Amino acid sequence: MMREQIPLWTLMKTEGLTGYAESRTFLDESPLSNLSELLGLGTHAGLNRMMRMSGVEEPLITGGASDYDKAEALCRVMPLWGGHPYVGAVKCLLSRAFGAEMPLCSDTLPTLWERTGKALRESPLTVADLPSFFGIQRIILPLTVTELMALPVGESPYGGKAMTLYIDDPSGKTLWASPLCQPLNLQEGGKLMSEAVERLADACVARGILEMTVNLQSLASFVRPNAYMSALSVAALQKGEHLDADAHALLICQLLRLLGEACVKHGMALTLADMPSHAICPLRDYLDSCGRLPRLTVVGDDPAAYLEAGVSSLLHVDLPVSRGAYLARLEAAASRAPLGCIRGLYAPLQGPLDLPLYAELCHIFCQQAEAWSAE
């Protein structure tokens, strides 16, 4: 009997949105005190980049200028940003947070600054509060190996917010250099690597974290794992030596084997970000053949390749993106795969300014998918 498939656009409307954070900004529960803090002036990489391109000097972006002066600088250059999504995002964020309908500009800044400051004093607001204003009920936050080990043991760190262990260096250099891994010797190298990953999984479970994410942007293709050769590479890394491309790829794939084994054992999910589409079938088949295939999700540009491999898929969209470019991405994805079967959109969030952008992407997704379904 065929199991019922609920389209993603239906789930988005009934269950709320899930966002994926690029930083730990959304863990911040300290009260916001002014408009600049709300917009993330000086901390939002995309906004900082736009201000630099507009000729704003660094003291007014990330330097020692006052928060008001930074907001003033933003107002001076935003008229140059016609057509950029950040203009609408600023307006939407102010509207949702404070009911402020006037646009932010040099003329309105004094009024908006005073009004938002008064509102924040009377009704404290934190960055962690903001996602719900946009229908985002769940944000998955990244945690490095070092940050994981610094957490106290216990369930639900950070008030129960969803966390994923994020491995940004897929060859595992951070892991192999951590106290979780002993210095390798050639006789027991494979065993010591396996024990290090097992300790890592134990540390996650002990802190209520049941998902791992690995950034695989640097992996060119799947290489069949080899414990002995990988141990040689780890020993070289521990001595500060550099790995060539082949050794790097082999070590990544060996780490994926070990992570797969640990995730299966502990009931954890494994997410692979930006993995080459041609590599997913060989990896999936290999992990399945040796009993190390966990609940697997792949983030990337080609949902068809991942769904064909029988794994869950998230469609990667970089923020900010124009409406036209985004619709073209959706149309390309829909022409190759059942769009309603993907698990969601992966548009990494840097800060509050990305929330309206992400919510709008989800709205467009639902609107367009339903229009296509009605044809």
Side-chain angles (χ1 to χ4, degrees):
M1 180 182 292
M2 179 178 172
R3 62 184 176 86
E4 182 184 6
Q5 292 280 3
I6 302 176
L8 173 61
W9 48 91
T10 300
L11 293 175
M12 282 182 169
K13 289 185 174 182
T14 58
E15 298 184 4
L17 307 177
T18 296
Y20 297 85
E22 192 171 54
S23 70
R24 299 176 66 203
T25 303
F26 295 98
L27 287 176
D28 192 348
E29 296 185 340
S30 56
L32 295 164
S33 62
N34 61 49
L35 180 61
S36 290
E37 290 183 0
L38 174 76
L39 296 177
L41 295 183
T43 60
H44 190 287
L47 192 57
N48 293 349
R49 188 165 55 250
M50 283 292 287
M51 293 180 72
R52 289 189 190 102
M53 287 191 289
S54 303
V56 178
E57 295 180 350
E58 201 63 32
L60 289 167
I61 304 174
T62 61
S66 71
D67 285 350
Y68 187 87
D69 287 344
K70 290 177 181 178
E72 229 177 12
L74 174 67
C75 290
R76 285 198 302 271
V77 297
M78 269 211 304
L80 305 174
W81 298 3
H84 195 281
Y86 283 160
V87 177
V90 168
K91 183 177 180 180
C92 185
L93 184 57
L94 293 178
S95 175
R96 294 288 179 90
F98 305 110
E101 297 304 327
M102 67 177 70
L104 177 63
C105 63
S106 295
D107 291 337
T108 63
L109 176 60
T111 300
L112 285 171
W113 186 271
E114 182 178 352
R115 182 183 299 179
T116 55
K118 183 174 182 289
L120 290 170
R121 288 190 297 273
E122 293 176 350
S123 301
L125 188 67
T126 74
V127 173
D129 297 325
L130 295 172
S132 62
F133 289 15
F134 297 90
I136 302 171
Q137 301 302 325
R138 183 171 181 255
I139 283 193
I140 298 178
L141 298 138
L143 201 64
T144 67
V145 173
T146 302
E147 290 167 340
L148 168 73
M149 299 312 296
L151 284 178
V153 172
E155 296 294 323
S156 301
Y158 297 111
K161 291 183 175 65
M163 307 288 292
T164 180
L165 174 68
Y166 188 76
I167 301 175
D168 191 35
D169 54 335
S171 63
K173 286 184 285 188
T174 303
L175 171 61
W176 311 130
S178 76
L180 293 168
C181 185
Q182 300 176 33
L184 263 62
N185 59 67
L186 298 185
Q187 291 75 27
E188 297 185 301
K191 176 174 175 288
L192 294 173
M193 287 176 64
S194 180
E195 289 175 352
V197 172
E198 178 63 22
R199 292 188 192 99
L200 184 66
D202 286 340
C204 286
V205 173
R207 292 158 176 83
I209 297 166
L210 298 177
E211 181 175 340
M212 296 185 185
T213 300
V214 187
N215 184 337
L216 293 174
Q217 194 170 24
S218 64
L219 179 65
S221 60
F222 174 74
V223 180
R224 189 175 181 84
N226 181 298
Y228 177 75
M229 295 303 296
S230 297
L232 290 178
S233 295
V234 171
L237 287 175
Q238 289 179 339
K239 295 174 184 176
E241 298 175 11
H242 178 73
L243 300 183
D244 62 28
D246 291 341
H248 180 76
L250 177 62
L251 185 50
I252 291 175
C253 292
Q254 179 67 22
L255 177 62
L256 293 176
R257 171 192 165 99
L258 296 175
L259 291 175
E261 180 177 17
C263 286
V264 168
K265 178 179 177 180
H266 294 280
M268 300 179 70
L270 181 61
T271 298
L272 309 178
D274 295 323
M275 183 175 194
S277 57
H278 62 267
I280 185 58
C281 275
L283 173 66
R284 190 242 177 233
D285 291 346
Y286 172 79
L287 293 177
D288 192 33
S289 69
C290 56
R292 291 170 171 82
L293 180 65
R295 287 178 291 123
L296 197 60
T297 299
V298 181
V299 179
D301 299 327
D302 188 9
Y306 314 136
L307 292 172
E308 278 188 319
V311 301
S312 183
S313 170
L314 291 168
L315 179 63
H316 191 168
V317 182
D318 286 319
L319 295 175
V321 62
S322 71
R323 182 185 179 93
Y326 176 56
L327 286 172
R329 289 284 304 282
L330 292 182
E331 186 174 3
S335 71
R336 301 192 62 235
L339 202 60
C341 290
I342 65 174
R343 201 180 101 192
L345 304 178
Y346 182 87
L349 307 169
Q350 295 179 34
L353 195 60
D354 294 318
L355 296 173
L357 299 179
Y358 177 64
E360 178 65 11
L361 290 188
C362 294
H363 173 73
I364 292 171
F365 176 88
C366 294
Q367 190 178 52
Q368 186 61 60
E370 288 177 336
W372 283 331
S373 297
E375 290 178 353

